[in-house]
Amino acid sequence: MTISTMRELATRWSDLLLADVGPGDRPTRAVRDTGSVLRPPATEDQVAATERRIGRRLPPSYREFLLLSDGAYADLNGVRLVYPHGGPEQPPAESDVVGVVLLPVADLRWLRDVDPFMASLCAQDDDEPDPVVVDGQDAWPWTPFASGLVIAVDHRPGTTCLVPADGEQEWQVWHIAKETSQVFVSFRSFLAHEVEIREPVTTVAETLAVIERAKRGEHRAVRRLARVTAPDAVDVLAGLLAERAGWAAHAVHALGRIGTDEAVDALVRVRPQGAPQALMRAGSDRARDVLADWGCVTQLAALGDPRGTALAVERLRPGAATRDEVDAAIQVLAVHGDAGHVDVLLPHLDGEPLTEFLAAYALAALGAEAGRHRLEQIAAGGGPMHASAEAWVQILARRDAAAETDLG
């Protein structure tokens, strides 16, 4: 599709991100309420006030975006998701807007003020990086990042900044996460890149062209391979599953996205890494039956299939499963269980530290006082899980407070 205006670009970005939300994923409340990752627009006065505060005029395409959507409930990592039993949603430290990821204009700050250690670390390198000519390319060294304006809140482990470019109206978009980076020529080209790599690939001919480019090492093509939705491309994708290459994992995702019985059968024949997640994306009766045969408790439960919780209960019987399987089953019941599962969880309050913590959290999430009491004991005990238990005690307290407010 041809996109010309910022409104069209931002709207398409939002639509494609929402299409990526999978079964069991829970977007932040604002997204659920509005059906969009976009926010109400900033005013010209709000933008001008921030420009006075930071001492620079914001770049044109980013400014245009803010006047359309004052930040967003997403970034290049996708839609902001929340944990189903996470209690009342809290705003990030950098903003008072709950669920926001791309920051509202009033919350923009220079990296040197937000994270002076990271800024000084980047500034230590005197070398200049190569020019940015391809959106999404890796850059090194990270010297320019030190002068960046933070525009996204997920700055540990990732930070997204607008970086001024000398003599240019537009600023580059830099995203650094751990040891990797992605750089974009401008905010508009960042959005355009994110839209391009998420657009569905709808024909066999287009699929073959994408595969050819992926095999030549083209980064965008590798990402687009996961977007194939053409049912008659199943055989082509199945042929990639045996290849030990980066694009094979994307072919697995594409088969799940196609979701036909033929696509499911292709996954069953090879059972590549990531197949359970792909089958969950498919979500068909055939896919669910395979997940049940494979004992994929987490994926079945996320699809709302009652076999998920039934299998979880079976795994919690004494000696029925490995410790990792037991831990996964407990987490399934924490999210998808009910008061009828309390008795099967109680014996696991006396186990390994992680299992004990998970059982306590699950019981508390299901309303059992024994779970909350054990969480408080773990939090006070100073053991390996005390910090996690302490965090959940606080979450449960916020949830209770919110419930009381609703009742009032």
Side-chain angles (χ1 to χ4, degrees):
M1 64 181 294
T2 302
I3 295 177
S4 56
T5 68
M6 176 61 75
R7 180 176 296 278
E8 292 171 335
L9 184 61
T11 301
R12 185 58 179 164
W13 177 62
S14 175
D15 291 344
L16 290 169
L17 288 180
L18 291 175
D20 276 348
V21 175
D25 290 339
R26 185 175 174 83
T28 190
R29 179 177 294 279
V31 174
R32 301 197 304 271
D33 289 346
T34 64
S36 175
V37 305
L38 304 178
R39 301 190 64 249
T43 66
E44 183 67 45
D45 286 346
Q46 289 172 321
V47 174
T50 291
E51 289 174 331
R52 288 192 297 272
R53 174 169 55 79
I54 67 173
R56 295 286 298 264
R57 183 176 174 83
L58 293 169
S61 62
Y62 181 60
R63 211 174 187 280
E64 187 178 4
F65 176 80
L66 291 171
L67 294 172
L68 172 70
S69 175
D70 189 16
Y73 302 110
D75 66 355
L76 80 171
N77 295 312
V79 179
R80 172 79 165 92
L81 301 176
V82 295
Y83 195 66
H85 282 306
E89 293 184 47
Q90 299 294 306
E94 299 83 355
S95 175
D96 61 0
V97 179
V98 175
V100 75
V101 188
L102 283 181
L103 289 167
V105 67
D107 298 319
L108 301 180
R109 299 288 186 278
W110 294 109
L111 181 66
R112 61 178 175 265
D113 300 321
V114 173
D115 193 341
F117 175 75
M118 187 173 188
S120 63
L121 196 65
C122 293
Q124 289 175 5
D125 201 319
D126 294 330
D127 295 334
E128 288 296 324
D130 293 332
V132 179
V133 293
V134 177
D135 284 312
Q137 76 180 53
D138 184 54
W140 184 259
W142 296 345
T143 315
F145 196 68
S147 61
L149 184 73
V150 178
I151 63 170
V153 301
D154 186 26
H155 58 86
R156 289 187 179 85
T159 305
T160 305
C161 283
L162 279 171
V163 175
D166 290 341
E168 299 289 339
Q169 274 195 318
E170 289 289 1
W171 300 5
Q172 296 172 356
V173 175
W174 284 58
H175 178 77
I176 289 179
K178 297 183 179 178
E179 294 81 27
T180 64
S181 64
Q182 285 181 275
V183 183
F184 305 87
V185 174
S186 68
F187 188 82
R188 182 186 174 90
S189 68
F190 153 70
L191 280 185
H193 173 273
E194 292 300 295
V195 166
E196 180 188 340
I197 63 174
R198 287 179 165 83
E199 287 287 1
V201 178
T202 58
T203 67
V204 173
E206 190 181 2
T207 301
L208 291 170
V210 167
I211 291 172
E212 208 46 50
R213 295 200 303 274
K215 289 185 174 182
R216 293 199 300 266
E218 186 181 313
H219 171 72
R220 292 192 197 197
V222 172
R223 295 278 302 275
R224 292 214 69 210
L225 189 53
R227 307 289 163 174
V228 176
T229 59
D232 48 355
V234 167
D235 289 342
V236 174
L237 294 168
L240 297 176
L241 297 187
E243 299 187 27
R244 295 183 178 276
W247 53 77
H250 295 277
V252 173
H253 293 310
L255 287 167
R257 198 178 290 270
I258 293 170
T260 61
D261 286 352
E262 292 77 13
V264 171
D265 289 341
L267 292 166
V268 171
R269 285 194 298 272
V270 180
R271 197 168 177 172
Q273 186 174 0
Q277 289 74 21
L279 291 171
M280 184 172 68
R281 165 68 75 171
S284 64
D285 290 343
R286 168 74 175 131
R288 293 177 187 221
D289 289 343
V290 172
L291 288 171
D293 290 342
W294 290 356
C296 297
V297 175
T298 303
Q299 288 78 15
L300 277 173
L303 289 168
D305 192 306
R307 289 173 290 185
T309 50
L311 283 168
V313 169
E314 285 303 313
R315 287 188 177 175
L316 294 182
R317 306 296 182 196
T322 66
R323 195 173 78 190
D324 286 347
E325 289 172 337
V326 167
D327 290 347
I330 291 172
Q331 292 179 79
V332 163
L333 294 185
V335 178
H336 304 284
D338 55 41
H341 295 120
V342 167
D343 287 344
V344 78
L345 288 164
L346 283 171
H348 297 277
L349 285 177
D350 298 310
E352 297 291 331
L354 176 58
T355 302
E356 177 191 31
F357 161 71
L358 291 173
Y361 143 67
L363 285 163
L366 297 180
E369 197 59 37
R372 177 175 293 216
H373 179 63
R374 183 58 61 86
L375 278 177
E376 290 170 348
Q377 288 180 325
I378 298 170
M385 302 305 300
H386 85 279
S388 297
E390 189 175 58
W392 275 103
V393 168
Q394 294 172 0
I395 286 171
L396 291 169
R398 290 199 300 268
R399 189 175 72 177
D400 290 349
E404 288 177 9
T405 301
D406 290 342
L407 288 173

